Amino acid sequence: MEILNKLKNLDAYPKINEDFYSRTLSGGLITLVSSLVMLFLFFSEFGLYLNTVTESKLMVDTSRGETLQVNFDVTFPSLACSLLSVDSMDISGEQHYDIKHDIIKKRIDPHGNVIESRQEGIGAPKIERPLQRHGGRLDHNETYCGSCFGAEMSDDHCCNSCEEVRDAYRKKGWALTNPDLIDQCEREGFIQKIKEEEGEGCNIHGFLEVNKVAGNFHFSPGKSFHMSNINIDDLIDLPSEKHNISHKINKLSFGKDFPGVVNPLDGVEWTHKASSPGQYQYFIKVVPTIYTDKRGRKIHSNQFSVTEHFRDADGYPRPLPGVFFVYDFNPIKVTLTEDHVPLLHFLTNICAIVGGVFTVAGIVDALVYHGHRAIKKKVDLGKYT
């Protein structure tokens, strides 16, 4: 009992007999208002506690020798799929022309409806028994060899498909101006395919694996080839007004998506109104990003900023018609970490809310109560006018 009595003396909250309380209407209103304020602030703080916060940090990017996946989905409403090709190159010297793997093309009509979807290029499979180079009939065991129509690199050079003829012409630096005269192209339906797709558009989507160095990839009419350090497009002798590079970027991202990522080119649309072709360029600055969610799982991805530029074909040297994405990497890496508000921080804020509102309400109640008593006292003495 002695210990309990000593503990009772430590009570910082002495109780007052209810006979000494004086309850007022103003006190009741202030209590109701302060309770509502407490509830509002409590639920606001509780909502912040349930939501996650993301902290960002900057550091030097020391990674090397990595590859990057570029995801794209671009629609060309006035360029046929048979003429559209994808090429990529970087400063390390790696070059890829007319990329077909991991890419799907969809033929679309002028109203945007999908006509056909295919993964490979135009034409039928390679002809197994093409025309003989020198004519005449061959014996059963003799090997067939298709003509390259003047573009043979050697006497035993054979072109057994339309694509091989076009490659031979590109290596010679010649344009394939009359594909309707090439037997392989005629057999594979190359010309027929181009005529069938005249006036159509194309949606092309997929992804590219590129080295993590500065470079570019582009969409162009015709097929590019490399000769004497100059990139040239085989445009199959089409009128320049048919090289309409109007386009809409449905999606473009570097790496995986993560919560909160913003790809500034998603939904961007550009319409080419001029009669002459040109080159549309997007200069992209890629920022490596590591996103860590609240479970500790990391997503290695990238963010990017972009500027745009159009080069008209009237200038010299005449630019190749197409849409070019020129990218470079920032040496600074961003780390984003997702986390909850700490429980102790939440409890501290709740105590601050309850104590603060209770104290402020007590001050307001005291001012109202004593002010009302002072005015009433003056009224009773007849000193208040």
Side-chain angles (χ1 to χ4, degrees), residues 66-320:
E66 297 181 354
T67 60
L68 174 66
Q69 179 173 303
V70 182
N71 308 295
F72 60 85
D73 184 348
V74 186
T75 300
F76 293 85
S78 303
L79 194 60
C81 289
S82 58
L83 301 177
L84 187 61
S85 66
V86 186
D87 312 304
S88 71
M89 57 195 71
D90 57 46
I91 60 174
S92 68
E94 186 166 335
Q95 303 169 355
H96 300 277
Y97 299 105
D98 193 20
I99 303 172
K100 295 180 180 179
H101 56 275
D102 301 319
I103 292 176
I104 296 177
K105 293 180 179 179
K106 294 181 180 179
R107 295 168 54 193
I108 57 176
D109 60 21
H111 302 289
N113 301 316
V114 177
I115 301 174
E116 179 191 9
S117 177
R118 63 171 180 265
Q119 190 165 2
E120 295 298 327
I122 64 172
K126 178 179 176 179
I127 299 174
E128 297 298 334
R129 299 173 64 85
L131 295 178
Q132 300 165 219
R133 179 182 303 173
H134 303 293
R137 298 187 62 182
L138 297 179
D139 296 335
H140 179 70
N141 295 326
E142 192 171 355
T143 304
Y144 286 86
C145 182
S147 173
C148 295
F149 297 89
E152 293 87 352
M153 304 298 293
S154 61
D155 291 338
D156 57 351
H157 186 191
C158 302
C159 296
N160 294 343
S161 68
C162 181
E163 186 67 25
E164 291 180 0
V165 175
R166 298 183 68 193
D167 288 338
Y169 267 63
R170 285 195 290 268
K171 291 177 182 179
K172 286 283 188 177
W174 303 345
L176 191 64
T177 56
N178 295 304
D180 53 334
L181 301 180
I182 306 299
D183 295 309
Q184 290 90 327
C185 296
E186 184 179 358
R187 287 190 177 189
E188 294 178 11
F190 179 79
I191 301 302
Q192 181 181 1
K193 180 65 68 173
I194 293 179
K195 291 181 179 179
E196 287 179 357
E197 297 185 9
E198 187 173 357
E200 294 180 0
C202 186
N203 171 263
I204 180 169
H205 65 276
F207 64 89
L208 303 173
E209 288 286 345
V210 299
N211 296 320
K212 199 174 178 181
V213 295
N216 78 82
F217 63 95
H218 60 271
F219 305 89
S220 59
K223 298 188 177 182
S224 298
F225 63 100
H226 192 72
M227 187 173 184
S228 302
N229 297 322
I230 300 175
N231 294 314
I232 310 173
D233 273 18
D234 172 16
L235 298 177
I236 323 178
D237 196 30
L238 290 176
S240 61
E241 59 268 15
K242 290 193 176 182
H243 303 154
N244 191 327
I245 59 171
S246 299
H247 60 276
K248 179 180 180 181
I249 304 175
N250 304 307
K251 180 179 179 58
L252 180 70
S253 63
F254 291 79
K256 300 178 181 178
D257 290 337
F258 59 88
V261 64
V262 177
N263 298 316
L265 285 179
D266 288 1
V268 171
E269 187 173 3
W270 182 80
T271 303
H272 188 200
K273 298 180 180 179
S275 59
S276 60
Q279 183 182 103
Y280 205 87
Q281 299 171 317
Y282 295 94
F283 296 94
I284 298 173
K285 199 70 173 181
V286 182
V287 182
T289 304
I290 299 178
Y291 186 89
T292 305
D293 62 16
K294 56 187 177 183
R295 298 182 180 178
R297 294 178 298 186
K298 293 185 177 181
I299 301 176
H300 293 263
S301 187
N302 299 272
Q303 304 177 79
F304 66 92
S305 61
V306 62
T307 56
E308 306 173 22
H309 177 68
F310 176 72
R311 292 180 59 190
D312 197 278
D314 295 335
Y316 185 83
R318 185 176 180 179
L320 298 176

Side-chain angles (χ1 to χ4, degrees), residues 15 54 56 88 168 253 382:
K15 311 304 183 291
T54 303
S56 61
S88 71
S253 63

Side-chain angles (χ1 to χ4, degrees), residues 1-15:
M1 293 300 294
E2 184 179 355
I3 295 175
L4 294 177
N5 289 331
K6 289 183 178 180
L7 184 61
K8 187 185 297 183
N9 293 331
L10 296 177
D11 186 6
Y13 310 98
K15 311 304 183 291

